């Protein structure tokens, strides 16, 4: 039972490069989320997908795009990476709103 | 916007001591969650609270949803070295998909 799986675990990019972070869950959850975690700032919501086929902006969406590929998969794309996007990115999922979220182990992204 | 204050920011305690941390907000919420994050891993749910006044335990952990629905606390009894980590509170308002997370309490246990 893998839960929420994120790939890659680590990545280093140069400014201006693009990249897609992958997330998959095997719990048949309806909703999926992308957060970033920066030192001293806790977790901030980037985008979420309430259900397959829908996506909405969170607190810090600028510079990111997302795709809910199917019920299992939710990807996060950086079109032109900037040093300010250096962070740890977490994907999460839950059955429905107001339900506890389950997190992956994160992708550690450094942009030089 | 909604403000969420989590305290203390960090604490060092001796093994065997009890620990208390809390979260307060300027708004009323319907759900409080407490998570723990170990180094290099994602947050793991410890306790979920859904009703004002609710007191819930999970082993040595006890959490309460404040009567005013604006605060919550987490207690850890008889701490052990593996309690080290970052503890986050999170809340959501009814009918939304957006959770707001606190900035975390970093706990270090001295053996």
């Amino acid at each position: 039972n893998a839960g929420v799986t994120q790939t890659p675990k680590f990545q280093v990019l140069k400014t201006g490069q693009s990249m897609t972070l992958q997330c998959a869950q095997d719990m048949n959850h309806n909703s999926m989320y992308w957060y970033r975690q920066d030192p001293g700032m806790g977790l901030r919501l980037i985008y979420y997908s309430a259900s397959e086929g829908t996506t909405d902006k969170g607190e810090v969406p600028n510079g990111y795009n997302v795709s809910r590929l199917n019920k299992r998969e939710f990807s996060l794309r950086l079109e032109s990476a900037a040093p300010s996007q250096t962070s740890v990115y977490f994907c999460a999922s839950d059955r429905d709103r107001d339900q506890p979220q389950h997190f992956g182990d994160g992708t550690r992204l450094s942009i030089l | 916007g909604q403000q969420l204050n989590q305290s203390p920011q960090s604490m060092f305690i001796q093994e065997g001591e009890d620990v208390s941390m809390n979260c307060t907000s300027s708004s009323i919420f319907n759900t409080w969650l407490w998570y723990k994050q170990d180094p290099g891993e994602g947050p793991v749910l410890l306790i979920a609270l859904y009703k004002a006044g609710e007191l819930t335990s999970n082993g040595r952990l006890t959490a309460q949803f404040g009567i005013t629905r604006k605060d919550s606390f987490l207690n850890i009894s008889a701490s052990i070295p593996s309690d080290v980590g970052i503890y986050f509170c999170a809340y959501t308002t009814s009918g939304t998909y957006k959770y707001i997370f606190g900035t975390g309490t970093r706990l270090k246990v001295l053996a």
Side-chain angles (χ1 to χ4, degrees):
Chain A
N1 184 7
V4 179
T5 302
Q6 291 183 236
T7 56
K9 294 188 184 303
F10 303 93
Q11 185 70 48
V12 179
L13 295 177
K14 293 181 180 179
T15 297
Q17 286 186 315
S18 62
M19 169 160 194
T20 299
L21 308 185
Q22 307 287 352
C23 175
Q25 52 91 10
D26 62 2
M27 295 173 284
N28 200 35
H29 283 170
N30 291 313
S31 306
M32 298 184 74
Y33 308 78
W34 276 105
Y35 292 88
R36 60 178 289 173
Q37 184 177 33
D38 301 299
M41 299 192 72
L43 291 153
R44 293 184 293 170
L45 183 64
I46 304 172
Y47 269 94
Y48 68 98
S49 171
S51 60
E52 186 178 354
T54 69
T55 61
D56 284 285
K57 295 179 180 179
E59 181 184 358
V60 288
N62 291 344
Y64 305 95
N65 286 301
V66 290
S67 295
R68 183 73 182 269
L69 304 172
N70 47 56
K71 191 172 185 178
R72 289 187 64 248
E73 299 172 288
F74 188 38
S75 63
L76 178 72
R77 182 161 178 85
L78 286 70
E79 290 291 351
S80 179
S84 61
Q85 294 177 304
T86 293
S87 188
V88 182
Y89 291 85
F90 287 99
C91 178
S93 70
D94 62 34
R95 189 183 314 119
D96 203 348
R97 57 191 175 191
D98 295 347
Q99 298 298 308
Q101 296 181 355
H102 299 261
F103 286 82
D105 283 339
T107 294
R108 284 144 188 82
L109 183 62
S110 293
I111 299 162
L112 306 177
Chain B
Q2 296 168 338
Q3 298 291 323
L4 180 61
N5 298 309
Q6 185 169 355
S7 65
Q9 288 188 338
S10 64
M11 52 196 315
F12 288 79
I13 60 170
Q14 293 286 337
E15 183 177 359
E17 288 184 349
D18 296 342
V19 176
S20 184
M21 59 192 78
N22 68 83
C23 282
T24 60
S25 176
S26 57
S27 302
I28 293 174
F29 308 113
N30 292 327
T31 303
W32 278 102
L33 305 178
W34 284 95
Y35 286 87
K36 182 193 177 194
Q37 184 178 25
D38 291 324
E41 299 183 10
V44 174
L45 181 69
L46 298 174
I47 293 177
L49 302 163
Y50 298 103
K51 296 179 181 179
E54 180 179 358
L55 184 70
T56 299
S57 294
N58 178 6
R60 294 178 296 105
L61 277 61
T62 301
Q64 184 161 27
F65 193 152
I67 288 291
T68 64
R69 292 168 60 195
K70 292 184 177 182
D71 60 357
S72 178
F73 72 76
L74 175 70
N75 287 341
I76 305 172
S77 62
S79 59
I80 59 178
S82 62
D83 289 334
V84 165
I86 304 176
Y87 292 79
F88 291 100
C89 60
Y91 67 75
T92 187
T93 50
S94 180
T96 75
Y97 291 90
K98 299 180 181 180
Y99 275 94
I100 303 298
F101 283 79
T103 54
T105 293
R106 287 151 183 77
L107 179 64
K108 296 189 178 182
V109 180
L110 305 174

